[in-house]
Amino acid sequence: MPTFHTYDGTELAYHLVGEGTPLICLPGGPMRASAYLGTLGGLSAHRQLVLLDLRGTGDSAAPDDPATYRCDRQAEDVEALRAHLGLERVDLLAHSAAGELAALYAARHPHRLRNLVLVTPTTRAVGLTSSARESREAAALRASEPWYEDAHAALEEVWAGRLTDELRARTRPFMYARWDAAAQEHAAASPAQINAEAAARYAGGDTFDPAATVPVLRTLEAPVLVLAGEYDTLVTPDLAAGLAALFPHAEFAVQRGAAHFPWIDDAGAFARTVEAFLDPEVHSVRAGGTRLAYRVWGDPAAPPVVLAHGRCGSSRDWAVIAARLAATHRVYAFDFRGHGLSDWPGRYSFELFRDDLHGFLEARNLAGATVIGHSMGGAAAYLLAERHPGLIGRLVIEEAPPLIPLDPPRPVPQRPDEELDFDWPLVPAIDAQLNDPDPAARELLGEITAPTLLIGGGPSSHLAQEDLAEMARAIPGAELVTIDAGHLVHTERPEEFLTALRSFGVRSLN
């Protein structure tokens, strides 16, 4: 267990979990040992978590002066840790009451922050408080839960200003999306992990000065993610949104179906959202309420190209092609819902993937862009081109299913045992549509007005090439090129794929 000495000589401990770029993690509570953060929903698979035990908690020593438990005094502990780690700038994550500690650190040391992640953060440091109405509305979302009546009665007592350990214990179900065994075990560890004396001093006296803190935060250059839980009664989404509005470069996200500990409620959703924010190569947009992660290459002033991946793939699948196209284009590759670092909402269809593409084009103001779609992404692209003629400038359809009923139909698939980087329910959902597709998809092919190129993979593809030829004949003026590569043409034969694009007018690096 590594330790360091902070500004007043107190020895503080931290725990390293995972590998990769360090992410300093500040626990809430207030003054709760960092053990409750765990792996932050598997975020440690992408980052090395530096879990700081605040002074007097966990494995850290208690200070000689109890007054240093104040939040404003502990900001210098964070700076001492940064210096100890030898980092010029840091990625910092703070949960709950540590959101105030992170805000004070950002105000004092703005140039030491590279990225700031605030997870269900409390907001006294910036002078924001949640209204009783907002908290009651959030609590009411849980009215169907079997524990609701007792927990709600205890919560009303707390809102009335009567806080005891017994009342706090009764309200704990509100802190989790599911009051199951895992949540109960996590909650049960809390009393032993919190330093009660330190917690009482954490926000005491004149600890916070919003009039001095807020103006500095309004000029913070570091990107900030504020992540709220849909069901959180302590830090409601409205309160978290108000905090996000203070920062000039903020992203605000609400994790659906989560409460105050979102990595406990849905580990995958939490880790994907945070990793997408922290990865410098990944950006995010909201399309119809769904967060879509994307990557971008090339000159912003160059003609745009949008790459749409196939089922069970991601934007990474286009890396080679994107790099070549970026010589002459602004290239965007996004993750469809249920894939990669985008949201995994659990509901999937060709029409929803079509809507993802539509929403992405609108969110990035890419009307008239060239769209290149592989397999499922190609189907989403031609479905969009049918419904919205003129939205797509040029259309390239690579090995996309023609949505003719499969004969024989595919059986219900079995989920593999290994960990997946896509949401498994999308596989049976799309198989069901392939077995019995909407005939309108074929009937409207003649409505496509964008210049269209179809690329088939030849006899080694699992798609019937004659069906692709029939699609080409149905789309006015469409061209068909066959490259004997199987289903993954752009992966197996990238040079020939790019040659076909150049012949179609989509130039790339030779």
Side-chain angles (χ1 to χ4, degrees):
M1 175 192 62
T3 64
F4 66 102
H5 288 85
T6 187
Y7 69 94
D8 63 351
T10 304
E11 186 176 24
L12 303 183
Y14 59 96
H15 305 268
L16 300 177
V17 181
E19 298 181 354
T21 303
L23 174 64
I24 294 177
C25 302
L26 306 180
M31 302 306 293
R32 184 173 178 179
S34 65
Y36 83 95
L37 297 173
T39 67
L40 284 173
L43 188 59
S44 57
H46 309 281
R47 291 279 170 145
Q48 182 183 64
L49 307 184
V50 183
L51 307 175
L52 176 64
D53 281 339
L54 303 180
R55 52 179 58 214
T57 70
D59 293 311
S60 288
D64 292 334
D65 181 4
T68 62
Y69 284 133
R70 283 177 34 150
C71 182
D72 55 341
R73 307 284 178 84
Q74 294 191 66
E76 294 311 311
D77 292 345
V78 181
E79 175 61 6
L81 176 57
R82 179 204 64 77
H84 165 75
L85 295 173
L87 300 173
E88 184 68 22
R89 294 192 301 158
V90 297
D91 293 333
L92 184 65
L93 179 147
H95 173 244
S96 190
E100 290 156 343
L101 176 55
L104 296 184
Y105 179 78
R108 289 189 188 179
H109 302 281
H111 302 299
R112 294 302 188 184
L113 277 177
R114 182 168 53 206
N115 293 288
L116 176 59
V117 180
L118 300 174
V119 180
T120 59
T122 53
T123 56
R124 288 168 295 182
V126 297
L128 297 178
T129 57
S130 182
S131 71
R133 177 187 59 80
E134 292 169 356
S135 295
R136 285 186 171 88
E137 288 175 353
L141 297 174
R142 317 298 298 280
S144 63
E145 301 282 2
W147 46 260
Y148 176 80
E149 288 190 13
D150 179 68
H152 186 261
L155 200 57
E156 288 288 355
E157 292 285 321
V158 172
W159 286 333
R162 295 180 289 276
L163 178 60
T164 65
D165 289 343
E166 184 263 340
L167 288 173
R168 182 183 286 110
R170 287 168 56 193
T171 63
R172 282 195 183 117
F174 278 112
M175 306 293 275
Y176 300 86
R178 296 175 303 281
W179 191 232
D180 55 14
Q184 292 175 40
E185 181 181 1
H186 191 262
S190 177
Q193 293 172 336
I194 290 179
N195 181 329
E197 177 193 3
R201 292 178 179 269
Y202 184 78
D206 58 352
T207 297
F208 303 126
D209 183 3
T213 301
V214 170
V216 181
L217 298 183
R218 289 192 184 278
T219 64
L220 187 68
E221 289 299 315
V224 178
L225 170 65
V226 179
L227 176 61
E230 179 184 11
Y231 297 146
D232 196 353
T233 58
L234 180 61
V235 182
T236 64
D238 284 347
L239 180 61
L243 175 63
L246 298 179
F247 298 99
H249 308 290
E251 177 181 331
F252 174 63
V254 176
Q255 186 170 316
R256 300 301 176 191
H260 196 61
F261 299 92
W263 68 92
I264 299 293
D265 298 328
D266 187 336
F270 176 82
R272 285 189 298 274
T273 300
V274 176
E275 177 55 22
F277 171 76
L278 291 174
D279 190 330
E281 297 183 354
V282 176
H283 310 270
S284 295
V285 295
R286 289 275 167 184
T290 301
R291 182 185 56 82
L292 300 177
Y294 70 97
R295 293 174 166 83
V296 63
W297 300 257
D299 183 351
V305 169
V306 176
L307 305 175
H309 65 79
R311 187 174 71 168
C312 306
S314 75
S315 55
R316 293 182 181 275
D317 298 347
W318 291 106
V320 172
I321 298 300
R324 298 285 293 275
L325 290 175
T328 53
H329 292 82
R330 179 68 161 178
V331 183
Y332 300 83
F334 73 98
D335 295 341
F336 281 103
R337 67 179 63 208
H339 296 80
L341 294 177
S342 290
D343 283 348
W344 295 13
R347 293 179 56 250
Y348 305 101
S349 67
F350 281 112
E351 292 76 19
L352 288 172
F353 294 133
R354 173 201 66 197
D355 294 344
D356 285 347
L357 176 57
H358 190 183
F360 182 78
L361 293 176
E362 289 194 334
R364 298 301 303 144
N365 194 27
L366 294 173
T370 294
V371 175
I372 302 172
H374 171 245
S375 193
M376 178 196 79
Y382 73 68
L383 290 174
L384 180 60
E386 291 174 346
R387 300 281 181 174
H388 296 276
L391 181 60
I392 294 174
R394 285 176 173 269
L395 176 61
V396 179
I397 305 170
E398 175 199 356
E399 279 283 301
L403 299 183
I404 297 172
L406 295 180
D407 186 16
R410 290 183 182 174
V412 176
Q414 297 297 311
R415 189 192 189 285
D417 292 333
E418 66 266 21
E419 185 176 347
L420 305 173
D421 58 2
F422 58 88
D423 195 11
W424 174 254
L426 69 89
V427 175
I430 295 304
D431 277 357
Q433 279 198 285
L434 291 171
N435 288 338
D436 185 22
D438 182 351
R442 301 186 304 279
E443 295 166 357
L444 294 175
L445 289 171
E447 301 297 317
I448 296 175
T449 60
T452 303
L453 169 67
L454 282 83
I455 299 178
S460 56
S461 169
H462 70 273
L463 295 183
Q465 299 298 290
E466 177 51 38
D467 290 342
L468 297 184
E470 183 62 30
M471 283 182 63
R473 288 190 286 270
I475 299 173
E479 304 174 34
L480 173 63
V481 172
T482 299
I483 300 172
D484 190 5
H487 190 57
L488 301 172
V489 181
H490 72 273
T491 300
E492 299 298 325
R493 299 285 180 84
E495 295 300 333
E496 291 166 72
F497 183 82
L498 289 166
T499 297
L501 295 185
R502 283 193 292 272
S503 297
F504 185 60
V506 183
R507 295 183 297 118
S508 65
L509 180 67
N510 291 328

